[in-house]
Amino acid sequence: MTNCALPSTGEPGTSAAMRRGACPSLAAPMQTGDGLLVRLRPDDDSLTIPKVIALAAAAETFGNGIIEITARGNLQLRGLTVATVPGLAQAIGDADIIIAEGLAIEVPPLAGIDPSEIADPRPIATALGEALRAQRPALKLAPKLSVVIDGGGRFGLGGVVADIRLQALTTSAGGEWLLSLGGTASRAVIVGKLAADALVPALMVVLQKLSTLGPAARGRDLDPVEIRELCRCVAAIEPQLARRVPEVSIPGIHTLGDGGVVLGLGLAFAQVEASALAPFLHQIEELGATSIRLAPGHALFVLGLAHEAAAIAQSLAAAHGFRIAEDDPRNAIATCAGSKGCASAGMETKGMAERLVELAPELLDGSLTVHLSGCAKGCARPKPSELTLIGAPSGYGLVVNGAANDLPSAYTDDNGMITALARLGRLVRQNKDAGESAQSCLTRLGAARVSAAFEQG
Protein backbone atom coordinates (compact mmCIF):
# COMPACT_ATOMS: atom_id res chain seq x y z
CA MET A 1 0.00 0.00 0.00
CA THR A 2 1.21 3.46 -0.80
CA ASN A 3 0.19 7.03 -0.69
CA CYS A 4 -1.60 7.55 -3.97
CA ALA A 5 0.19 9.66 -6.56
CA LEU A 6 0.77 9.82 -10.27
CA PRO A 7 4.25 9.19 -11.58
CA SER A 8 5.98 12.17 -13.11
CA THR A 9 5.91 11.88 -16.89
CA GLY A 10 7.28 15.23 -17.89
CA GLU A 11 3.94 16.04 -19.52
CA PRO A 12 2.09 19.23 -18.67
CA GLY A 13 -0.14 18.88 -15.67
CA THR A 14 1.89 16.20 -13.90
CA SER A 15 3.96 16.88 -10.85
CA ALA A 16 7.37 15.63 -9.90
CA ALA A 17 6.45 16.43 -6.30
CA MET A 18 3.96 13.58 -6.14
CA ARG A 19 5.37 10.90 -3.93
CA ARG A 20 5.77 7.28 -2.96
CA GLY A 21 4.83 5.44 -6.10
CA ALA A 22 1.96 5.33 -8.52
CA CYS A 23 -1.69 4.49 -8.00
CA PRO A 24 -2.90 2.55 -11.06
CA SER A 25 -6.48 3.79 -10.76
CA LEU A 26 -5.33 7.39 -10.89
CA ALA A 27 -2.81 6.63 -13.59
CA ALA A 28 -5.52 5.14 -15.80
CA PRO A 29 -8.88 6.78 -15.05
CA MET A 30 -11.95 5.58 -16.92
CA GLN A 31 -13.91 7.72 -19.35
CA THR A 32 -17.62 8.00 -18.48
CA GLY A 33 -20.51 10.21 -19.48
CA ASP A 34 -19.61 12.89 -16.93
CA GLY A 35 -15.85 12.91 -17.47
CA LEU A 36 -13.16 10.69 -16.00
CA LEU A 37 -13.84 8.32 -13.13
CA VAL A 38 -11.25 7.23 -10.57
CA ARG A 39 -11.72 4.15 -8.40
CA LEU A 40 -9.78 3.92 -5.14
CA ARG A 41 -9.29 1.25 -2.48
CA PRO A 42 -8.29 3.20 0.64
CA ASP A 43 -6.79 1.33 3.57
CA ASP A 44 -9.47 1.15 6.29
CA ASP A 45 -7.24 2.53 9.01
CA SER A 46 -6.34 5.59 6.93
CA LEU A 47 -9.85 7.05 6.69
CA THR A 48 -9.96 9.33 9.69
CA ILE A 49 -12.68 11.98 9.63
CA PRO A 50 -10.27 14.85 8.76
CA LYS A 51 -8.87 12.81 5.86
CA VAL A 52 -12.32 12.05 4.49
CA ILE A 53 -13.18 15.74 4.73
CA ALA A 54 -10.03 16.47 2.71
CA LEU A 55 -11.05 13.83 0.18
CA ALA A 56 -14.50 15.42 -0.17
CA ALA A 57 -12.90 18.81 -0.79
CA ALA A 58 -10.64 17.28 -3.44
CA ALA A 59 -13.62 15.59 -5.13
CA GLU A 60 -15.35 18.95 -5.41
CA THR A 61 -12.23 20.89 -6.46
CA PHE A 62 -10.96 18.47 -9.10
CA GLY A 63 -14.15 16.60 -10.07
CA ASN A 64 -17.87 17.23 -10.05
CA GLY A 65 -18.19 16.54 -6.34
CA ILE A 66 -19.99 13.20 -6.71
CA ILE A 67 -18.56 10.49 -4.46
CA GLU A 68 -19.66 6.87 -4.77
CA ILE A 69 -19.14 3.77 -2.66
CA THR A 70 -19.30 0.73 -4.89
CA ALA A 71 -21.09 -2.55 -4.25
CA ARG A 72 -17.75 -3.98 -3.06
CA GLY A 73 -17.00 -1.04 -0.77
CA ASN A 74 -14.51 0.90 -2.90
CA LEU A 75 -14.53 4.66 -3.51
CA GLN A 76 -15.25 6.30 -6.86
CA LEU A 77 -14.78 9.98 -7.69
CA ARG A 78 -16.46 11.35 -10.80
CA GLY A 79 -16.30 14.26 -13.23
CA LEU A 80 -12.52 14.54 -13.48
CA THR A 81 -10.55 15.68 -16.51
CA VAL A 82 -7.06 14.95 -17.80
CA ALA A 83 -6.00 18.30 -16.40
CA THR A 84 -7.46 17.75 -12.91
CA VAL A 85 -6.46 14.13 -12.19
CA PRO A 86 -2.90 15.10 -11.14
CA GLY A 87 -4.30 17.64 -8.67
CA LEU A 88 -6.55 14.98 -7.17
CA ALA A 89 -3.58 12.63 -6.82
CA GLN A 90 -1.59 15.36 -5.10
CA ALA A 91 -4.44 16.11 -2.71
CA ILE A 92 -4.82 12.42 -1.78
CA GLY A 93 -1.08 12.18 -1.15
CA ASP A 94 -1.05 15.39 0.91
CA ALA A 95 -3.86 14.02 3.08
CA ASP A 96 -1.82 10.86 3.73
CA ILE A 97 -4.66 8.63 2.59
CA ILE A 98 -3.21 5.18 2.01
CA ILE A 99 -4.39 3.52 -1.20
CA ALA A 100 -4.15 -0.23 -1.73
CA GLU A 101 -2.55 -1.22 -5.03
CA GLY A 102 -2.38 -4.38 -7.07
CA LEU A 103 -4.41 -7.48 -6.28
CA ALA A 104 -7.68 -6.74 -4.45
CA ILE A 105 -7.32 -8.41 -1.03
CA GLU A 106 -10.56 -7.79 0.84
CA VAL A 107 -11.49 -8.25 4.49
CA PRO A 108 -14.80 -7.47 6.26
CA PRO A 109 -15.35 -3.80 7.09
CA LEU A 110 -15.20 -4.31 10.85
CA ALA A 111 -12.29 -6.75 10.80
CA GLY A 112 -10.36 -6.61 14.04
CA ILE A 113 -13.07 -4.82 16.03
CA ASP A 114 -16.11 -7.06 15.58
CA PRO A 115 -16.28 -9.22 18.72
CA SER A 116 -18.35 -11.85 16.91
CA GLU A 117 -15.65 -12.68 14.32
CA ILE A 118 -13.86 -16.00 14.63
CA ALA A 119 -10.43 -14.62 13.71
CA ASP A 120 -8.88 -11.32 12.64
CA PRO A 121 -8.13 -11.64 8.90
CA ARG A 122 -6.00 -8.50 8.64
CA PRO A 123 -2.62 -10.09 9.49
CA ILE A 124 -3.19 -12.68 6.76
CA ALA A 125 -4.11 -9.98 4.25
CA THR A 126 -1.00 -7.99 5.17
CA ALA A 127 1.26 -11.03 4.88
CA LEU A 128 -0.20 -11.95 1.50
CA GLY A 129 0.36 -8.42 0.21
CA GLU A 130 3.98 -8.53 1.36
CA ALA A 131 4.51 -11.92 -0.29
CA LEU A 132 3.12 -10.61 -3.58
CA ARG A 133 5.35 -7.54 -3.50
CA ALA A 134 8.37 -9.78 -2.88
CA GLN A 135 7.48 -12.15 -5.73
CA ARG A 136 9.98 -12.02 -8.61
CA PRO A 137 9.08 -11.97 -11.37
CA ALA A 138 5.79 -10.33 -10.52
CA LEU A 139 2.71 -12.44 -11.15
CA LYS A 140 0.54 -11.55 -14.14
CA LEU A 141 -3.00 -11.68 -12.80
CA ALA A 142 -6.40 -10.65 -14.15
CA PRO A 143 -7.13 -6.98 -13.37
CA LYS A 144 -10.38 -7.78 -11.52
CA LEU A 145 -9.05 -10.80 -9.64
CA SER A 146 -10.03 -10.69 -5.97
CA VAL A 147 -9.15 -12.53 -2.78
CA VAL A 148 -11.58 -12.42 0.15
CA ILE A 149 -10.28 -13.27 3.62
CA ASP A 150 -13.29 -13.45 5.92
CA GLY A 151 -12.86 -13.91 9.65
CA GLY A 152 -16.60 -14.26 10.17
CA GLY A 153 -18.78 -11.94 12.19
CA ARG A 154 -21.98 -10.02 11.62
CA PHE A 155 -20.74 -8.11 8.59
CA GLY A 156 -18.81 -10.74 6.68
CA LEU A 157 -18.23 -10.87 2.95
CA GLY A 158 -20.22 -14.00 2.20
CA GLY A 159 -22.33 -12.18 -0.38
CA VAL A 160 -19.33 -10.71 -2.22
CA VAL A 161 -18.11 -12.61 -5.26
CA ALA A 162 -14.46 -13.67 -5.00
CA ASP A 163 -12.02 -15.63 -7.14
CA ILE A 164 -10.31 -17.03 -4.04
CA ARG A 165 -11.96 -17.12 -0.62
CA LEU A 166 -10.66 -17.93 2.84
CA GLN A 167 -13.26 -18.24 5.57
CA ALA A 168 -12.51 -18.82 9.24
CA LEU A 169 -13.83 -22.05 10.69
CA THR A 170 -15.15 -22.88 14.13
CA THR A 171 -13.60 -26.28 14.79
CA SER A 172 -12.26 -28.23 17.73
CA ALA A 173 -8.77 -27.86 16.27
CA GLY A 174 -9.05 -24.07 16.16
CA GLY A 175 -7.22 -21.77 13.78
CA GLU A 176 -8.50 -23.44 10.62
CA TRP A 177 -9.74 -21.80 7.43
CA LEU A 178 -11.84 -22.97 4.50
CA LEU A 179 -10.41 -22.39 1.02
CA SER A 180 -12.85 -22.09 -1.87
CA LEU A 181 -12.88 -20.80 -5.44
CA GLY A 182 -15.27 -18.57 -7.38
CA GLY A 183 -18.61 -17.04 -6.53
CA THR A 184 -20.16 -16.02 -3.25
CA ALA A 185 -19.61 -18.04 -0.08
CA SER A 186 -22.74 -20.11 -0.71
CA ARG A 187 -21.88 -20.84 -4.35
CA ALA A 188 -18.09 -21.18 -4.20
CA VAL A 189 -16.41 -24.50 -5.00
CA ILE A 190 -14.86 -25.81 -1.79
CA VAL A 191 -11.22 -26.88 -1.97
CA GLY A 192 -10.56 -27.83 1.64
CA LYS A 193 -9.26 -26.80 5.07
CA LEU A 194 -5.96 -25.16 5.92
CA ALA A 195 -4.18 -24.37 9.16
CA ALA A 196 -3.48 -20.70 9.83
CA ASP A 197 0.27 -21.03 9.30
CA ALA A 198 -0.25 -22.57 5.85
CA LEU A 199 -2.55 -19.87 4.46
CA VAL A 200 -0.16 -17.45 2.78
CA PRO A 201 1.97 -20.16 1.12
CA ALA A 202 -1.21 -21.83 -0.13
CA LEU A 203 -2.63 -18.59 -1.50
CA MET A 204 0.64 -17.89 -3.30
CA VAL A 205 0.46 -21.34 -4.89
CA VAL A 206 -3.05 -20.61 -6.14
CA LEU A 207 -2.04 -17.19 -7.49
CA GLN A 208 1.05 -18.63 -9.17
CA LYS A 209 -1.14 -21.23 -10.84
CA LEU A 210 -3.47 -18.50 -12.09
CA SER A 211 -0.49 -16.55 -13.42
CA THR A 212 0.62 -19.56 -15.47
CA LEU A 213 -2.85 -19.79 -17.02
CA GLY A 214 -2.60 -16.26 -18.37
CA PRO A 215 -3.58 -12.72 -17.38
CA ALA A 216 -7.29 -13.37 -17.96
CA ALA A 217 -7.55 -16.47 -15.71
CA ARG A 218 -10.03 -16.33 -12.83
CA GLY A 219 -10.81 -18.56 -9.86
CA ARG A 220 -13.52 -20.39 -11.80
CA ASP A 221 -10.85 -21.58 -14.26
CA LEU A 222 -8.99 -23.59 -11.63
CA ASP A 223 -9.42 -27.30 -10.97
CA PRO A 224 -10.33 -27.63 -7.26
CA VAL A 225 -8.91 -31.15 -7.05
CA GLU A 226 -5.56 -29.98 -8.44
CA ILE A 227 -5.54 -26.98 -6.09
CA ARG A 228 -6.33 -29.24 -3.10
CA GLU A 229 -3.30 -31.35 -3.93
CA LEU A 230 -1.01 -28.38 -4.63
CA CYS A 231 -1.99 -26.64 -1.38
CA ARG A 232 -2.11 -29.84 0.66
CA CYS A 233 -5.60 -29.04 1.88
CA VAL A 234 -7.60 -31.36 4.10
CA ALA A 235 -10.98 -32.24 2.63
CA ALA A 236 -13.85 -30.46 4.38
CA ILE A 237 -17.27 -31.91 5.08
CA GLU A 238 -20.45 -29.95 5.78
CA PRO A 239 -20.30 -29.94 9.63
CA GLN A 240 -16.81 -28.48 9.40
CA LEU A 241 -17.82 -25.56 7.20
CA ALA A 242 -17.67 -21.98 8.32
CA ARG A 243 -20.18 -20.76 10.86
CA ARG A 244 -23.31 -19.49 9.12
CA VAL A 245 -23.73 -15.99 10.54
CA PRO A 246 -27.06 -14.37 9.64
CA GLU A 247 -26.61 -11.34 7.45
CA VAL A 248 -27.21 -8.07 9.27
CA SER A 249 -28.32 -4.91 7.49
CA ILE A 250 -25.57 -2.30 7.71
CA PRO A 251 -27.76 0.79 8.23
CA GLY A 252 -28.42 1.18 11.96
CA ILE A 253 -26.64 1.49 15.30
CA HIS A 254 -24.74 -1.70 16.15
CA THR A 255 -23.33 -2.63 19.53
CA LEU A 256 -19.77 -3.93 19.72
CA GLY A 257 -17.98 -5.44 22.70
CA ASP A 258 -17.58 -3.52 25.96
CA GLY A 259 -20.55 -1.27 25.19
CA GLY A 260 -19.06 0.40 22.12
CA VAL A 261 -21.15 1.08 19.04
CA VAL A 262 -20.73 1.73 15.34
CA LEU A 263 -23.14 3.66 13.16
CA GLY A 264 -23.94 2.03 9.84
CA LEU A 265 -25.06 4.23 6.96
CA GLY A 266 -25.89 3.62 3.34
CA LEU A 267 -25.60 6.00 0.42
CA ALA A 268 -28.85 6.79 -1.34
CA PHE A 269 -28.50 5.11 -4.74
CA ALA A 270 -24.74 4.62 -4.18
CA GLN A 271 -23.84 8.34 -4.34
CA VAL A 272 -23.31 11.35 -2.09
CA GLU A 273 -22.33 14.87 -3.05
CA ALA A 274 -19.24 16.30 -1.41
CA SER A 275 -21.20 19.43 -0.55
CA ALA A 276 -23.50 17.29 1.63
CA LEU A 277 -20.84 14.89 2.93
CA ALA A 278 -18.41 17.49 4.28
CA PRO A 279 -20.88 19.31 6.59
CA PHE A 280 -22.11 15.97 7.92
CA LEU A 281 -18.55 14.87 8.67
CA HIS A 282 -17.84 18.10 10.54
CA GLN A 283 -20.99 17.59 12.59
CA ILE A 284 -20.23 14.01 13.60
CA GLU A 285 -16.60 14.87 14.33
CA GLU A 286 -17.89 17.30 16.95
CA LEU A 287 -19.93 14.42 18.38
CA GLY A 288 -16.77 12.30 18.78
CA ALA A 289 -16.57 10.33 15.51
CA THR A 290 -12.98 9.38 14.71
CA SER A 291 -13.02 7.49 11.40
CA ILE A 292 -15.08 5.61 8.85
CA ARG A 293 -14.80 2.19 7.29
CA LEU A 294 -16.19 1.52 3.84
CA ALA A 295 -18.54 -1.43 3.46
CA PRO A 296 -20.10 -3.48 0.66
CA GLY A 297 -23.55 -2.52 -0.52
CA HIS A 298 -22.68 1.17 -1.00
CA ALA A 299 -22.34 1.65 2.74
CA LEU A 300 -20.00 2.77 5.50
CA PHE A 301 -19.51 2.55 9.25
CA VAL A 302 -18.80 5.52 11.52
CA LEU A 303 -16.46 4.68 14.41
CA GLY A 304 -15.76 6.44 17.69
CA LEU A 305 -19.25 7.52 18.72
CA ALA A 306 -20.84 6.85 22.10
CA HIS A 307 -24.36 5.42 21.97
CA GLU A 308 -26.19 8.70 22.60
CA ALA A 309 -23.96 10.52 20.12
CA ALA A 310 -24.59 7.78 17.53
CA ALA A 311 -28.34 8.38 17.80
CA ILE A 312 -27.82 12.10 17.18
CA ALA A 313 -25.47 11.35 14.27
CA GLN A 314 -28.05 8.99 12.80
CA SER A 315 -30.66 11.76 12.80
CA LEU A 316 -28.17 14.10 11.14
CA ALA A 317 -27.44 11.43 8.52
CA ALA A 318 -31.13 11.12 7.70
CA ALA A 319 -31.33 14.88 7.20
CA HIS A 320 -28.41 14.66 4.75
CA GLY A 321 -30.11 11.91 2.73
CA PHE A 322 -28.25 8.81 3.94
CA ARG A 323 -29.99 5.47 4.36
CA ILE A 324 -30.18 4.93 8.13
CA ALA A 325 -32.49 1.98 8.67
CA GLU A 326 -33.03 -1.59 7.54
CA ASP A 327 -36.55 -0.83 6.33
CA ASP A 328 -35.58 2.14 4.14
CA PRO A 329 -37.20 1.32 0.78
CA ARG A 330 -34.12 2.60 -1.03
CA ASN A 331 -32.19 -0.38 0.36
CA ALA A 332 -34.06 -2.57 -2.14
CA ILE A 333 -32.95 -0.62 -5.23
CA ALA A 334 -29.64 -1.12 -7.07
CA THR A 335 -28.66 1.61 -9.52
CA CYS A 336 -25.73 2.41 -11.78
CA ALA A 337 -24.58 5.96 -12.52
CA GLY A 338 -27.26 6.33 -15.17
CA SER A 339 -27.39 8.78 -18.04
CA LYS A 340 -26.07 11.65 -15.92
CA GLY A 341 -22.86 9.75 -15.31
CA CYS A 342 -22.40 7.40 -18.24
CA ALA A 343 -22.62 7.93 -21.98
CA SER A 344 -23.78 4.32 -22.45
CA ALA A 345 -26.85 4.70 -20.23
CA GLY A 346 -30.36 5.15 -21.55
CA MET A 347 -31.96 5.80 -18.18
CA GLU A 348 -31.58 8.52 -15.57
CA THR A 349 -31.43 5.91 -12.84
CA LYS A 350 -31.45 8.12 -9.74
CA GLY A 351 -34.57 9.97 -10.82
CA MET A 352 -36.20 6.69 -11.82
CA ALA A 353 -35.37 5.24 -8.39
CA GLU A 354 -37.06 8.17 -6.68
CA ARG A 355 -40.16 7.65 -8.83
CA LEU A 356 -40.12 3.93 -7.97
CA VAL A 357 -40.15 4.74 -4.25
CA GLU A 358 -43.06 7.11 -4.79
CA LEU A 359 -45.14 5.03 -7.20
CA ALA A 360 -44.47 1.41 -6.20
CA PRO A 361 -43.48 1.21 -2.52
CA GLU A 362 -45.17 -2.20 -2.35
CA LEU A 363 -42.20 -3.65 -4.25
CA LEU A 364 -39.66 -2.32 -1.76
CA ASP A 365 -40.33 -4.33 1.41
CA GLY A 366 -36.78 -5.72 1.41
CA SER A 367 -37.70 -9.17 0.13
CA LEU A 368 -36.39 -8.51 -3.38
CA THR A 369 -34.04 -6.25 -5.32
CA VAL A 370 -35.13 -3.94 -8.12
CA HIS A 371 -32.17 -3.26 -10.40
CA LEU A 372 -32.26 -0.07 -12.46
CA SER A 373 -29.61 -0.42 -15.17
CA GLY A 374 -28.77 2.31 -17.63
CA CYS A 375 -27.84 -0.30 -20.24
CA ALA A 376 -27.50 -4.04 -20.75
CA LYS A 377 -24.03 -4.18 -19.14
CA GLY A 378 -25.54 -4.24 -15.65
CA CYS A 379 -22.54 -2.66 -13.93
CA ALA A 380 -24.32 -2.08 -10.61
CA ARG A 381 -25.54 -5.66 -10.29
CA PRO A 382 -24.23 -8.26 -12.74
CA LYS A 383 -26.16 -11.08 -11.05
CA PRO A 384 -29.89 -11.69 -11.58
CA SER A 385 -32.55 -9.68 -9.76
CA GLU A 386 -36.23 -10.32 -9.28
CA LEU A 387 -36.97 -7.19 -11.34
CA THR A 388 -34.49 -5.49 -13.65
CA LEU A 389 -35.35 -2.34 -15.59
CA ILE A 390 -33.00 -1.52 -18.48
CA GLY A 391 -32.65 1.75 -20.36
CA ALA A 392 -32.43 1.70 -24.13
CA PRO A 393 -32.68 4.27 -26.95
CA SER A 394 -36.23 3.15 -27.67
CA GLY A 395 -37.44 3.13 -24.08
CA TYR A 396 -37.25 0.68 -21.19
CA GLY A 397 -37.20 -3.09 -20.89
CA LEU A 398 -38.22 -5.31 -17.97
CA VAL A 399 -36.43 -8.56 -17.10
CA VAL A 400 -38.16 -10.75 -14.53
CA ASN A 401 -35.82 -12.98 -12.50
CA GLY A 402 -32.82 -12.19 -14.66
CA ALA A 403 -29.89 -9.88 -15.26
CA ALA A 404 -29.55 -6.74 -17.35
CA ASN A 405 -27.98 -8.65 -20.24
CA ASP A 406 -30.97 -11.00 -20.51
CA LEU A 407 -33.69 -10.48 -23.11
CA PRO A 408 -36.49 -8.31 -21.66
CA SER A 409 -39.98 -9.81 -21.56
CA ALA A 410 -41.80 -6.46 -21.64
CA TYR A 411 -41.20 -2.94 -22.91
CA THR A 412 -42.52 0.58 -22.52
CA ASP A 413 -41.50 4.04 -23.67
CA ASP A 414 -40.88 7.31 -21.84
CA ASN A 415 -44.56 8.20 -21.89
CA GLY A 416 -45.58 4.84 -20.42
CA MET A 417 -42.92 4.40 -17.76
CA ILE A 418 -44.68 6.21 -14.92
CA THR A 419 -47.90 4.24 -15.33
CA ALA A 420 -45.89 1.00 -15.78
CA LEU A 421 -44.22 1.49 -12.38
CA ALA A 422 -47.54 2.30 -10.78
CA ARG A 423 -49.08 -0.85 -12.27
CA LEU A 424 -46.30 -3.03 -10.82
CA GLY A 425 -46.93 -1.57 -7.38
CA ARG A 426 -50.69 -2.03 -7.74
CA LEU A 427 -50.19 -5.64 -8.88
CA VAL A 428 -48.52 -6.49 -5.59
CA ARG A 429 -50.88 -4.38 -3.48
CA GLN A 430 -53.99 -6.01 -4.90
CA ASN A 431 -52.72 -9.61 -4.93
CA LYS A 432 -50.52 -9.97 -1.86
CA ASP A 433 -51.90 -12.24 0.84
CA ALA A 434 -51.70 -11.24 4.49
CA GLY A 435 -48.11 -11.56 5.69
CA GLU A 436 -46.83 -12.38 2.21
CA SER A 437 -43.70 -10.64 0.90
CA ALA A 438 -43.47 -8.86 -2.42
CA GLN A 439 -41.04 -11.50 -3.64
CA SER A 440 -43.39 -14.37 -2.76
CA CYS A 441 -46.32 -12.55 -4.33
CA LEU A 442 -44.52 -11.95 -7.63
CA THR A 443 -43.23 -15.53 -7.69
CA ARG A 444 -46.75 -16.85 -7.19
CA LEU A 445 -48.19 -14.60 -9.89
CA GLY A 446 -45.50 -15.64 -12.36
CA ALA A 447 -43.26 -13.81 -14.80
CA ALA A 448 -45.87 -13.64 -17.56
CA ARG A 449 -48.37 -11.80 -15.39
CA VAL A 450 -45.73 -9.43 -14.04
CA SER A 451 -44.57 -8.65 -17.59
CA ALA A 452 -48.13 -8.06 -18.76
CA ALA A 453 -48.80 -5.65 -15.91
CA PHE A 454 -45.69 -3.66 -16.77
CA GLU A 455 -46.39 -3.51 -20.48
CA GLN A 456 -50.15 -3.12 -20.76
CA GLY A 457 -51.90 -3.30 -17.41
Side-chain angles (χ1 to χ4, degrees), residues 69-73 160 250-251 265-267 270 295-300 323 331:
I69 301 177
T70 70
R72 299 187 74 93
V160 173
I250 289 175
L265 301 173
L267 301 191
H298 316 289
L300 60 92
R323 294 183 284 117
N331 293 343

Side-chain angles (χ1 to χ4, degrees), residues 425-444:
R426 187 165 59 249
L427 180 70
V428 172
R429 184 171 66 252
Q430 294 179 346
N431 291 279
K432 188 171 69 169
D433 294 333
E436 188 178 27
S437 69
Q439 181 189 46
S440 296
C441 178
L442 293 177
T443 299
R444 177 170 53 81

Side-chain angles (χ1 to χ4, degrees), residues 371-399:
H371 177 196
L372 304 182
S373 184
C375 71
K377 289 187 291 185
C379 298
R381 187 177 169 88
K383 61 184 179 181
S385 301
E386 289 83 356
L387 296 173
T388 299
L389 290 169
I390 308 149
S394 58
Y396 307 92
L398 173 70
V399 175

